[in-house]
mmCIF file of all heavy atoms in Angstrom:
data_model
loop_
_atom_site.group_PDB
_atom_site.id
_atom_site.type_symbol
_atom_site.label_atom_id
_atom_site.label_comp_id
_atom_site.label_asym_id
_atom_site.label_seq_id
_atom_site.Cartn_x
_atom_site.Cartn_y
_atom_site.Cartn_z
ATOM 1 N N SER A 35 2.207 19.158 1.913
ATOM 2 C CA SER A 35 1.865 20.165 2.909
ATOM 3 C C SER A 35 1.413 21.446 2.229
ATOM 4 O O SER A 35 1.892 21.786 1.149
ATOM 5 C CB SER A 35 3.066 20.455 3.817
ATOM 6 O OG SER A 35 2.673 21.389 4.819
ATOM 7 N N ALA A 49 14.483 11.481 5.736
ATOM 8 C CA ALA A 49 14.158 10.093 5.376
ATOM 9 C C ALA A 49 14.082 9.905 3.859
ATOM 10 O O ALA A 49 13.669 8.829 3.393
ATOM 11 C CB ALA A 49 12.832 9.691 6.029
ATOM 12 N N ILE A 104 -9.137 7.621 2.663
ATOM 13 C CA ILE A 104 -8.510 8.771 3.333
ATOM 14 C C ILE A 104 -8.828 8.657 4.815
ATOM 15 O O ILE A 104 -10.001 8.533 5.205
ATOM 16 C CB ILE A 104 -9.060 10.127 2.835
ATOM 17 C CG1 ILE A 104 -9.047 10.201 1.306
ATOM 18 C CG2 ILE A 104 -8.250 11.271 3.443
ATOM 19 C CD1 ILE A 104 -9.624 11.504 0.743
ATOM 20 N N PRO A 113 -17.799 11.401 18.063
ATOM 21 C CA PRO A 113 -18.186 12.664 17.423
ATOM 22 C C PRO A 113 -18.188 13.874 18.364
ATOM 23 O O PRO A 113 -18.651 14.947 17.957
ATOM 24 C CB PRO A 113 -19.600 12.373 16.918
ATOM 25 C CG PRO A 113 -20.135 11.372 17.881
ATOM 26 C CD PRO A 113 -18.956 10.533 18.299
ATOM 27 N N GLY A 122 -6.052 21.558 17.477
ATOM 28 C CA GLY A 122 -5.030 22.006 18.421
ATOM 29 C C GLY A 122 -5.588 22.241 19.816
ATOM 30 O O GLY A 122 -6.430 21.482 20.305
ATOM 31 N N ILE A 153 -15.842 6.092 12.003
ATOM 32 C CA ILE A 153 -14.767 5.923 12.994
ATOM 33 C C ILE A 153 -14.123 4.557 12.814
ATOM 34 O O ILE A 153 -14.822 3.542 12.698
ATOM 35 C CB ILE A 153 -15.345 6.070 14.423
ATOM 36 C CG1 ILE A 153 -15.783 7.518 14.651
ATOM 37 C CG2 ILE A 153 -14.329 5.636 15.478
ATOM 38 C CD1 ILE A 153 -16.626 7.722 15.898
ATOM 39 N N GLY A 164 -6.376 19.188 37.531
ATOM 40 C CA GLY A 164 -5.199 20.046 37.352
ATOM 41 C C GLY A 164 -4.646 20.019 35.930
ATOM 42 O O GLY A 164 -3.672 20.704 35.640
ATOM 43 N N ALA A 190 -3.784 -1.599 5.509
ATOM 44 C CA ALA A 190 -2.818 -2.199 4.569
ATOM 45 C C ALA A 190 -3.005 -3.707 4.481
ATOM 46 O O ALA A 190 -2.748 -4.318 3.442
ATOM 47 C CB ALA A 190 -1.396 -1.868 5.015
ATOM 48 N N PHE A 196 -16.759 -2.846 6.377
ATOM 49 C CA PHE A 196 -17.861 -1.911 6.595
ATOM 50 C C PHE A 196 -19.154 -2.677 6.836
ATOM 51 O O PHE A 196 -19.475 -3.602 6.099
ATOM 52 C CB PHE A 196 -18.029 -0.989 5.382
ATOM 53 C CG PHE A 196 -17.041 0.142 5.385
ATOM 54 C CD1 PHE A 196 -15.778 -0.019 4.835
ATOM 55 C CD2 PHE A 196 -17.366 1.351 5.962
ATOM 56 C CE1 PHE A 196 -14.863 1.019 4.864
ATOM 57 C CE2 PHE A 196 -16.453 2.404 5.998
ATOM 58 C CZ PHE A 196 -15.201 2.226 5.442
#
Side-chain angles (χ1 to χ4, degrees):
S35 183
I104 310 178
I153 292 168
F196 280 86

